């Protein structure tokens, strides 16, 4: 009975705080009705009740922001202030959900401006009191959710509706078909950082899956599906170009593949766990293909052999002015060894040099 009265009292007190925030917004933005509407909508979307962020409120925020010049920095500041001042678990969680929904909104312009607002400091996601608190069982999830959103704001939805990272200078990378080394070596680390943040948000127990955590986890899972597809395409492209890389780049690539092996296994376990939660069974989970350490060891052995063979080729060619082909049998053995355990079930080609050996002019051997 005492707990029930305490919850009722907190609900009434929270409602009074929301009304006070709305009244303060009226006074501060008396001459700017659009800004007033945005601030009021933010308060309503992050109220002290356990109701989720409603679609009606989201549409209201997007409408006012889209039709008011300079509204995105103002919106970012209001969200940051709400997040920094509140000491309520529900308000903090709903504010983080609001940020996530704005990033997932259909307006690419708002999404890009939120990225700029985060870079300029108008949107401060990590200014939360619970980042150092362990009082509530779900605070650990909110802390990981903040870290995820800090990473997520560095990604953007492209015209095809897919997530891709925004690189330094605003360059976006997503075209693995070109198999550009620069693109692969820039985007794979970003994918690994993203997946690492996703894994941190993995739900621990069913009893901790309240409505707020479940809504956040559902959005995280949907975005992880897209990034995983980009991740797997990048790993396949990297493994195919492995034999064309220099030794330092090849060592870096093998390290990335080893990290991917563990991450993808953890991601598979997380997906299997989330399938058992109510409300997450109907999600379109991708088919996660494991990368075993045998695959990576085979790649390293084959690439190491190609490096040694290439160095022998250079030494022999420099002395006589011609090239000598490497041991064909060893190359075939290396290729066959890897063929049985190909990465992601994709063939990785091992190049075998078939170089003509040029002898002296035969006319010099004819009798004169």
């Amino acid at each position: 009975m005492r707990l029930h009265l305490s919850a009722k009292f907190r609900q009434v007190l929270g409602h009074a705080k929301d009304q006070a925030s709305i009244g303060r917004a009226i006074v501060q933005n008396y001459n700017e009705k659009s800004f007033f509407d945005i601030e009021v909508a933010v308060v309503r979307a992050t109220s002290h009740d356990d109701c989720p962020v409603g679609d009606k409120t989201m549409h209201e925020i997007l409408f006012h922001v889209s039709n008011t010049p300079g509204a995105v920095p103002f919106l970012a500041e209001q969200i940051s202030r709400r997040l920094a001042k509140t000491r309520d678990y529900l308000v903090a969680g709903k504010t983080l959900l609001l940020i996530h929904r704005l990033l997932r909104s259909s307006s690419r312009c708002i999404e890009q401006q939120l990225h700029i607002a985060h870079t300029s400091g108008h949107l401060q996601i990590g200014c939360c009191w619970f980042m150092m608190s362990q009082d509530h069982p779900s605070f650990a999830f909110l802390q990981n959710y903040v870290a995820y959103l800090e990473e997520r704001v560095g990604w953007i939805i492209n015209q095809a509706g897919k997530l891709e990272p925004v690189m330094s200078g605003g360059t976006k990378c997503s075209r693995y078909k070109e198999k550009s080394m620069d693109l692969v070596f820039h985007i794979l680390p970003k994918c690994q950082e993203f997946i690492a943040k996703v894994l941190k948000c993995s739900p621990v127990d069913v009893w901790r899956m309240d409505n707020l955590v479940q809504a956040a986890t559902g959005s995280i899972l949907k975005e992880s599906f897209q990034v995983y597809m980009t991740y797997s395409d990048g790993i396949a492209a990297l493994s195919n170009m492995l034999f064309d890389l220099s030794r330092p780049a090849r060592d870096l690539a093998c390290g990335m593949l080893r990290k991917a092996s563990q991450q993808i296994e953890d991601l598979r376990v997380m997906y299997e766990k989330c399938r058992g939660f109510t409300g997450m069974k109907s999600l379109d989970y991708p088919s996660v293909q494991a990368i075993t350490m045998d695959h990576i060891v085979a790649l390293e052995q084959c690439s190491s052999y190609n490096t040694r063979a290439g160095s022998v080729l250079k030494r022999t060619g420099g002395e006589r002015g011609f090239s000598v082909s490497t041991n064909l049998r060893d190359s075939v053995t290396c290729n066959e060894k890897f063929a049985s355990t190909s990465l992601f079930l994709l063939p990785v080609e091992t190049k075998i040099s078939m170089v003509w050996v040029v002898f002296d002019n035969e006319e010099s051997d004819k009798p004169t």
Side-chain angles (χ1 to χ4, degrees):
M1 182 67 178
R2 180 179 299 177
L3 292 176
H4 180 70
L5 291 176
S6 177
K8 281 288 187 181
F9 175 75
R10 287 197 301 269
Q11 185 176 358
V12 172
L13 181 61
H15 180 72
K17 289 182 178 180
D18 293 338
Q19 294 301 316
S21 298
I22 294 175
R24 185 169 56 252
I26 296 175
V27 175
Q28 293 177 350
N29 301 288
Y30 179 76
N31 295 324
E32 297 288 344
K33 185 178 184 304
S34 298
F35 287 162
F36 156 71
D37 292 334
I38 292 174
E39 186 171 355
V40 171
V42 169
V43 173
R44 289 175 178 170
T46 59
S47 57
H48 287 74
D49 53 49
D50 57 354
C51 299
V53 181
D55 293 336
K56 181 179 179 180
T57 307
M58 278 299 305
H59 293 158
E60 182 180 352
I61 294 175
L62 293 175
F63 173 79
H64 291 304
V65 171
S66 300
N67 292 277
T68 306
V72 174
F74 177 80
L75 172 65
E77 290 177 355
Q78 295 305 311
I79 291 175
S80 301
R81 185 179 296 111
R82 185 76 165 167
L83 198 57
K85 287 186 174 182
T86 185
R87 294 296 183 268
D88 188 89
Y89 163 75
L90 288 175
V91 175
K94 292 172 71 172
T95 305
L96 296 176
L97 277 174
L98 175 61
I99 297 173
H100 202 175
R101 291 199 61 175
L102 288 171
L103 291 173
R104 291 170 52 85
S105 66
S106 57
S107 175
R108 297 182 67 245
C109 180
I110 294 178
E111 184 186 16
Q112 293 173 355
Q113 292 185 46
L114 282 175
H115 171 75
I116 297 173
H118 180 261
T119 304
S120 63
H122 289 89
L123 179 61
Q124 299 180 12
I125 304 176
C127 55
C128 314
W129 100 99
F130 57 79
M131 293 303 292
M132 301 299 295
S133 176
Q134 298 293 336
D135 296 337
H136 196 282
S138 295
F139 280 171
F141 175 83
L142 289 185
Q143 293 167 4
N144 295 325
Y145 193 26
V146 168
Y148 173 82
L149 291 177
E150 292 277 7
E151 176 65 26
R152 171 61 179 85
V153 78
W155 291 63
I156 197 167
I157 302 175
N158 59 21
Q159 294 181 351
K162 304 297 183 182
L163 273 175
E164 61 181 16
V166 178
M167 310 305 292
S168 58
T171 304
K172 298 188 287 288
C173 306
S174 63
R175 299 181 295 277
Y176 280 107
K177 293 182 179 180
E178 298 177 2
K179 295 185 178 180
S180 167
M181 296 181 187
D182 291 336
L183 290 180
V184 171
F185 277 101
H186 278 86
I187 199 170
L188 275 183
K190 292 293 294 182
C191 289
Q192 290 183 333
E193 291 176 12
F194 190 97
I195 295 298
K197 298 300 188 297
V198 170
L199 293 173
K200 286 287 188 178
C201 295
S202 178
V204 180
D205 299 306
V206 178
W207 64 273
R208 294 187 182 181
M209 291 287 289
D210 54 27
N211 293 334
L212 192 152
V213 174
Q214 184 170 340
T217 305
S219 298
I220 292 172
L221 286 175
K222 292 175 183 178
E223 292 181 338
S224 73
F225 299 161
Q226 295 185 9
V227 175
Y228 167 72
M229 300 305 296
T230 304
Y231 194 15
S232 60
D233 290 344
I235 293 172
L238 181 61
S239 62
N240 286 335
M241 70 170 61
L242 189 66
F243 303 104
D244 297 327
L245 300 176
S246 62
R247 182 59 183 269
R250 190 181 300 120
D251 293 340
L252 177 61
C254 289
M256 293 167 62
L257 291 176
R258 286 179 177 272
K259 183 176 181 179
S261 175
Q262 184 60 49
Q263 278 191 329
I264 289 180
E265 174 60 23
D266 294 341
L267 197 64
R268 185 191 64 80
V269 174
M270 177 182 176
Y271 287 169
E272 289 298 324
K273 182 191 300 183
C274 292
R275 288 177 193 268
F277 294 147
T278 304
M280 298 185 187
K281 297 180 181 180
S282 59
L283 297 180
D284 189 15
Y285 291 89
S287 177
V288 179
Q289 301 181 12
I291 309 174
T292 65
M293 292 307 298
D294 292 338
H295 296 154
I296 300 173
V297 170
L299 273 173
E300 291 176 340
Q301 291 177 350
C302 292
S303 63
S304 177
Y305 170 79
N306 280 5
T307 301
R308 293 194 302 269
S311 62
V312 172
L313 210 65
K314 286 184 178 180
R315 290 198 300 270
T316 56
E319 295 175 359
R320 292 296 188 94
F322 57 83
S323 303
V324 180
S325 61
T326 60
N327 192 320
L328 180 61
R329 181 178 180 181
D330 290 343
S331 297
V332 173
T333 302
C334 180
N335 201 22
E336 290 176 350
K337 180 178 180 180
F338 182 73
S340 60
T341 58
S342 58
L343 191 65
F344 278 159
L345 302 180
L346 294 176
V348 178
E349 299 178 358
T350 303
K351 296 184 178 179
I352 304 175
S353 176
M354 304 294 291
V355 182
W356 289 99
V357 179
V358 181
F359 296 97
D360 295 335
N361 193 351
E362 296 180 358
E363 294 182 358
S364 61
D365 298 335
K366 292 182 181 181
T368 55

